[in-house]
């Protein structure tokens, strides 16, 4: 038998292993793809709305607050209870000496009765109904529950708008990180080129060694900035993952022809008026203040009497030889008049009044903050529009300046420091232009959030400004 291995067999086995390895890698790719997403802003928002724990917690708080209504309604409804008692009795009679009547009753010959035992059961069935007669306190509590539900609804609406802001803001933070990485890479490549040029000029004796060292230092700093930018991209993705759970790998970026429109309506005070009337955080605070005011009324009403109707019906079985079966029914009206409770009612009323005053002041603070922030966001949108135009022109100017500086450096009228600074200024102008575009959108959604008009349709609208 030939002991030499057949090379053809090894070749076929190698091809088979490569095929199996390719299939395995493909399966791993599919498995990895199920845990990652490629999504635009709208898809990311949908993931966030389904998976964000902050929004889920706000929803649970809203559902819990809604139970205050049936709890307050219960004060108007009767209380019905039933009770059944099943009693087994075992009665034992002790020995009794009884005088014999045949002996004249003088007891000289008593009659002895031996111990006797009796077994009997007695069952009792009872039904009780208590119907409180609603008065001032119950109506206040029901009205308070309504305010609590309204406050919870406003709080949840604020949480939904906050999710929109957090999602858009973090999505753009990732895009900004990608832009920073792009600019850092371009900057590093530019400094690589400048460094190579200075090395050639230095070797040719056209520039001193200090110019070469300066170019090397800028290039090394650019390398460090590029590494930091790469890390920042990963960190910003992790922050978004806290909201969506699903990691997002591919993103849509802002189109170059971003529409720049000032706020509509164009008067800032109209936005302020909308914010005062519709801001959900402010609405929740106002409803909370209303709840505190009704707490004062509830404590004040504790001095008033309460009235209830009580009815009871009892059915019991007979005790052999003792009682017969029967039914007992009664009804009464109970009036409770509080006279003195150690001063606690008065103290609780004063305490509730102070808490109500605190809520009023905090709501006033929030109202002033809302007015101020709305005006700031309005001015922010206008400012960002002007800055975007200015930074765009700055890129053109800095590009021309860099070319002119490089030309002057080549002929010896400018130094390497001038070239390095011109390159730095161009990258900074590009970064400022990109950041201003994101800031314009963020200021716009913050303005709508402050006015209480931010909706998922705004996410859809902003998503139309993105491109792969």
């Amino acid at each position: 038998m030939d002991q030499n291995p057949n090379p053809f067999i090894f070749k076929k086995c190698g091809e088979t292993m490569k095929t199996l390895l390719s299939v395995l890698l493909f399966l791993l790719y599919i498995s990895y793809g199920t845990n990652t997403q490629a999504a635009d802003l709208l898809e990311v928002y949908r993931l966030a709305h389904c998976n964000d724990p902050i929004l889920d917690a706000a929803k649970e708080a809203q559902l819990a607050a809604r139970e205050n209504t049936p709890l307050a309604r219960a004060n108007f409804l009767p209380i019905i209870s039933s009770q059944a008692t099943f009693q087994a009795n075992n009665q034992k009679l002790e020995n009794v000496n009884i005088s014999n009547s045949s002996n004249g009753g003088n007891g000289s010959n008593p009659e002895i009765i031996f111990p006797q035992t009796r077994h009997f059961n007695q069952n009792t069935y009872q039904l009780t109904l208590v119907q409180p007669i609603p008065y001032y306190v119950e109506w206040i509590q029901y009205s308070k529950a309504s305010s609590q539900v309204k406050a919870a609804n406003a709080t949840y609406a604020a949480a939904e708008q906050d999710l929109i802001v957090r999602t858009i803001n973090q999505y753009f933070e990732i895009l900004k990180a990608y832009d920073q990485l792009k600019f850092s890479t371009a900057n590093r490549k530019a400094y690589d080129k400048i460094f190579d040029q200075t090395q050639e000029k230095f070797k040719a004796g056209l520039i001193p060694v200090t110019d070469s060292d300066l170019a090397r230092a800028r290039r090394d700093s650019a390398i460090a900035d590029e590494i930091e930018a790469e890390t920042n991209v990963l960190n910003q993705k992790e922050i978004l993952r806290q909201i969506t759970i699903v990691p997002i790998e591919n993103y849509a970026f802002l189109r170059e022809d971003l529409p720049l429109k000032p706020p509509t309506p164009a008067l800032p005070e109209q936005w302020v008026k909308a914010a005062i009337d519709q801001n959900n955080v402010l609405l929740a605070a106002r409803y909370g203040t209303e709840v505190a005011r009704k707490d004062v009324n509830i404590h004040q009403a504790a001095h008033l009497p309460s009235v209830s109707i009580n009815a009871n019906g009892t059915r019991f079985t007979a005790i052999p030889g003792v009682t017969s079966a029967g039914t007992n029914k009664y009804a009464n009206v109970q009036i409770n008049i509080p006279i003195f409770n150690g001063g606690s009612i008065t103290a609780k009323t004063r305490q509730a009044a102070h808490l109500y005053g605190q809520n009023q002041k905090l709501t006033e603070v929030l109202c002033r903050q809302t007015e101020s922030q709305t005006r700031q966001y309005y001015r922010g949108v206008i400012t960002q529009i002007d800055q975007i135009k200015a930074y765009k022109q700055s890129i053109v100017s800095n590009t021309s300046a860099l070319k002119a500086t490089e030309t002057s450096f080549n002929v010896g009228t400018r130094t390497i420091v001038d070239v390095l600074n011109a390159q730095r200024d161009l990258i900074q102008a590009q970064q400022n232009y990109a950041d201003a575009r994101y800031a314009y959108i963020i200021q716009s959604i913050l303005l709508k959030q402050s006015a209480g008009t931010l909706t998922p349709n705004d996410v859809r609208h902003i998503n139309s400004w993105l491109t792969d």
Side-chain angles (χ1 to χ4, degrees), residues 76-96:
F76 297 88
L77 302 177
I79 301 172
I80 303 175
S81 61
S82 62
Q83 181 178 359
T85 303
F86 305 96
Q87 180 175 344
N89 297 277
N90 187 9
Q91 189 178 63
K92 183 178 181 181
L93 301 178
E94 299 293 339
N95 294 346
V96 179

Side-chain angles (χ1 to χ4, degrees), residues 437-450:
R437 282 154 50 89
Y438 297 125
Y440 161 72
I441 299 176
I442 296 299
Q443 290 292 317
S444 298
I445 64 171
L446 288 175
L447 177 61
K448 289 189 174 184
Q449 181 192 30
S450 183

Side-chain angles (χ1 to χ4, degrees), residues 394-416:
S394 176
I395 293 175
V396 177
S397 301
N398 279 279
T399 301
S400 299
L402 176 60
K403 292 179 179 179
T405 304
E406 289 176 336
T407 301
S408 299
F409 173 70
N410 291 330
V411 299
T413 58
R414 301 296 291 269
T415 66
I416 188 61

